[in-house]
Amino acid sequence: MKKFTAKIICVLLIAALAFGLCACGEDDGITGKYICIGESWFGEEFSEPSSEGYIQLKKNGSGKYNTGLSLKLNWELNGEDFDGTYSVLGFECELDGILKDGVLEVSDSGTIRRYLREGAELPSWAEANVPLITADVTDNTDVTDNTPEDARLMGFYAIKSIDVDGSFIEGDDLIDAELSATFMRIDSDNTGELGFEGEEPDSFVLDEEAGTLTFDDGTVVSFYEEGEGIIKVVFVDDNGSTMTIYFELETEAVG
């Protein structure tokens, strides 16, 4: 319980600071927010994006990559060549592309996305719906779904928001608070792990009937289903402070 009590206190402090921070400076023509305006699968023509996404580039080489899930981004630019990396569940993923005339085009696991910098006009060359870069295509056709029928909650869940005594942290603020990589994984035998960003994950046993997660150190917390694919986990410390984490199913596990 001591670890989770310390985490509640830490997140309370983050919540107090998260909304009071801002950045300012001169426009360098590169950094800023880029809104997704098109998606291309495996080199086909661009179509309307499937979700509202964006990439935000900051001057220190950090940023945000949002395709429905907000992730930390590290990036660098060599001429027009753009290289970026982001992490999901401890695995580093690459973004390769170009940045030209306020248009950022990147390839991510077979999908090419085109972004336009906020406030910029679309250049004439970008009016064509043909990608300038080539997608890195991976063949996943041999993947077989062997998920057990009784493993109803089995899967990987990404953090959606946190409520600490009425203070909410969600969306981009999860990145600023270094919480966006927090996750929960539930395995077919109803064991799993819950990991806060930057920390070793903690193992638990899930009791669906009782609505509890029991961690290896004996800590027992409550969980609730809030709708299809949404689970909330409630931590209460010795002082009565409550931290509720909302998780959203990202990937159904494949056995």
Side-chain angles (χ1 to χ4, degrees), residues 14-161:
I14 290 170
L17 296 172
F19 305 109
L21 302 177
C22 62
C24 58
E26 296 181 359
D27 186 0
D28 60 5
I30 296 175
T31 56
K33 191 173 185 178
Y34 292 74
I35 307 299
C36 186
I37 59 173
E39 290 180 332
S40 168
W41 289 269
F42 311 116
E44 297 178 353
E45 290 189 356
F46 282 112
S47 59
E48 290 292 323
S50 57
S51 61
E52 296 181 2
Y54 66 86
I55 290 177
Q56 186 167 20
L57 305 181
K58 299 181 180 180
K59 290 185 178 181
N60 60 358
S62 66
K64 302 173 184 178
Y65 179 46
N66 189 309
T67 59
L69 177 66
S70 293
L71 301 167
K72 277 185 176 181
L73 174 69
N74 294 310
W75 65 278
E76 62 179 16
L77 190 66
N78 297 307
E80 295 180 350
D81 294 331
F82 178 90
D83 294 301
T85 58
Y86 65 93
S87 295
V88 176
L89 195 55
F91 295 97
E92 187 172 275
C93 306
E94 296 183 355
L95 293 177
D96 300 313
I98 63 168
L99 176 53
K100 177 181 178 181
D101 300 332
V103 175
L104 175 60
E105 194 171 295
V106 296
S107 174
D108 182 8
S109 302
T111 302
I112 299 175
R113 295 184 176 91
R114 178 174 284 179
Y115 299 82
L116 180 65
R117 189 169 182 256
E118 276 190 336
E121 294 186 4
L122 189 69
S124 58
W125 62 264
E127 293 177 0
N129 283 329
V130 180
L132 295 181
I133 61 177
T134 303
D136 180 16
V137 179
T138 302
D139 185 3
N140 293 318
T141 56
D142 292 333
V143 175
T144 303
D145 186 356
N146 295 316
T147 304
E149 292 183 3
D150 58 347
R152 191 174 62 85
L153 299 176
M154 180 178 171
F156 173 76
Y157 294 77
I159 188 171
K160 183 178 178 66
S161 63

Side-chain angles (χ1 to χ4, degrees), residues 171-202:
D172 295 342
D173 293 317
L174 289 170
I175 297 178
D176 295 332
E178 298 187 345
L179 292 167
S180 63
T182 299
F183 73 93
M184 180 173 64
R185 192 193 73 247
I186 300 175
D187 298 327
S188 60
D189 59 356
N190 278 343
T191 62
E193 290 184 330
L194 190 152
F196 290 97
E197 180 170 340
E199 300 181 8
E200 289 295 320
D202 293 283

Side-chain angles (χ1 to χ4, degrees), residues 1 4 205 210-215 217-222 234-236:
M1 175 62 77
F4 295 118
V205 175
T212 59
L213 305 179
T214 302
F215 290 88
D217 66 355
T219 299
V220 180
V221 302
S222 300
V234 182
F235 298 85
V236 182

